[in-house]
């Protein structure tokens, strides 16, 4: 194997190990969760303890369309062909630890939420999925926004 190919392979393995370490093995599959589809960011539903930017910037995110399918993903950051989805179930405590916001303040009473990290060529992105209410939640500069499904 050529030296460049070996280096590329090592980089890929390291990237996968980092994602595995960061998110764990996950405990669900995309086909089971049902977040594939087209979504429209609908409204602001809450704020992290310390927001990184003004609410006005997040409100400009309202109306954006997010697309997540097994072979294609598109959001405000980039377009990815054949994306890799890393999934992790977060408890109320874990969600608070990473976001300094409680699920209850976002209107989520189930006590858990799924964190989805989307990787592939292009910039990465992430979102939260609430299976019970079929809601997708994005965080933009410390502001949480709900997205509604517009097609599967």
């Amino acid at each position: 194997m050529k030296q460049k190919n070996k280096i590329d392979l090592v980089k890929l393995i390291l990237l996968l190990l980092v994602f595995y370490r960061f998110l764990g093995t996950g405990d669900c599959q995309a086909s089971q969760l049902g977040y594939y589809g087209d979504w429209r960011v609908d409204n602001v539903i809450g704020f992290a303890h310390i927001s990184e930017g003004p609410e006005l910037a997040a409100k400009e995110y309202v109306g954006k369309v997010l697309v997540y399918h097994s072979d294609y993903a598109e959001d405000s950051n980039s377009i990815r062909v054949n994306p890799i989805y890393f999934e992790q179930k977060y408890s109320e405590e874990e969600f608070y630890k990473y976001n300094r916001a409680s699920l209850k303040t976002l209107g989520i009473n189930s006590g858990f939420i799924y964190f989805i990290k989307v990787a592939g060529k292009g910039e990465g992105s992430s979102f939260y999925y609430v299976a019970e209410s079929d809601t997708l939640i994005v965080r933009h500069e410390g502001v949480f926004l709900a997205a509604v499904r517009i097609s599967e």
Side-chain angles (χ1 to χ4, degrees):
M1 187 185 289
K2 293 183 180 179
Q3 185 67 20
K4 183 180 181 326
N5 290 342
K6 286 181 183 178
I7 291 172
D8 289 343
L9 180 61
V10 169
K11 286 180 182 178
L12 177 62
I13 291 169
L14 288 174
L15 176 67
L16 291 173
L17 286 173
V18 167
F19 277 119
Y20 180 82
R21 174 79 173 119
F22 174 69
L23 295 173
T25 59
D27 56 2
C28 52
Q29 296 296 320
S31 59
Q32 293 174 334
L33 283 179
Y35 57 78
Y36 285 165
D38 297 356
W39 301 81
R40 184 183 67 253
V41 178
D42 193 45
N43 61 322
V44 173
I45 59 169
F47 303 88
H49 180 65
I50 299 176
S51 296
E52 300 163 5
E55 181 181 358
L56 182 60
K59 284 185 176 179
E60 291 175 2
Y61 203 68
V62 172
K64 302 259 186 223
V65 174
L66 312 171
V67 179
Y68 300 108
H69 295 283
S70 62
D71 60 345
Y72 179 81
E74 180 178 358
D75 53 41
S76 64
N77 290 333
S78 67
I79 296 171
R80 287 167 301 287
V81 176
N82 297 320
I84 301 169
Y85 293 89
F86 296 93
E87 305 165 345
Q88 182 65 43
K89 186 176 181 179
Y90 279 2
S91 67
E92 169 80 32
E93 294 79 23
E94 290 168 312
F95 183 81
Y96 186 84
K97 176 183 173 183
Y98 294 115
N99 294 285
R100 298 293 185 241
S102 75
L103 292 176
K104 289 182 179 150
T105 61
L106 300 180
I108 301 164
N109 297 313
S110 63
F112 65 91
I113 193 168
Y114 293 97
F115 174 71
I116 315 298
K117 178 77 177 165
V118 186
K121 287 191 176 186
E123 293 183 38
S125 65
S126 61
F127 59 89
Y128 294 97
Y129 180 69
V130 184
E132 291 72 28
S133 61
D134 196 30
T135 304
L136 191 134
I137 298 173
V138 292
R139 179 178 167 170
H140 182 71
E141 297 185 11
V143 178
F144 294 96
L145 301 107
V148 295
R149 186 184 299 275
I150 54 178
S151 70
E152 291 198 25

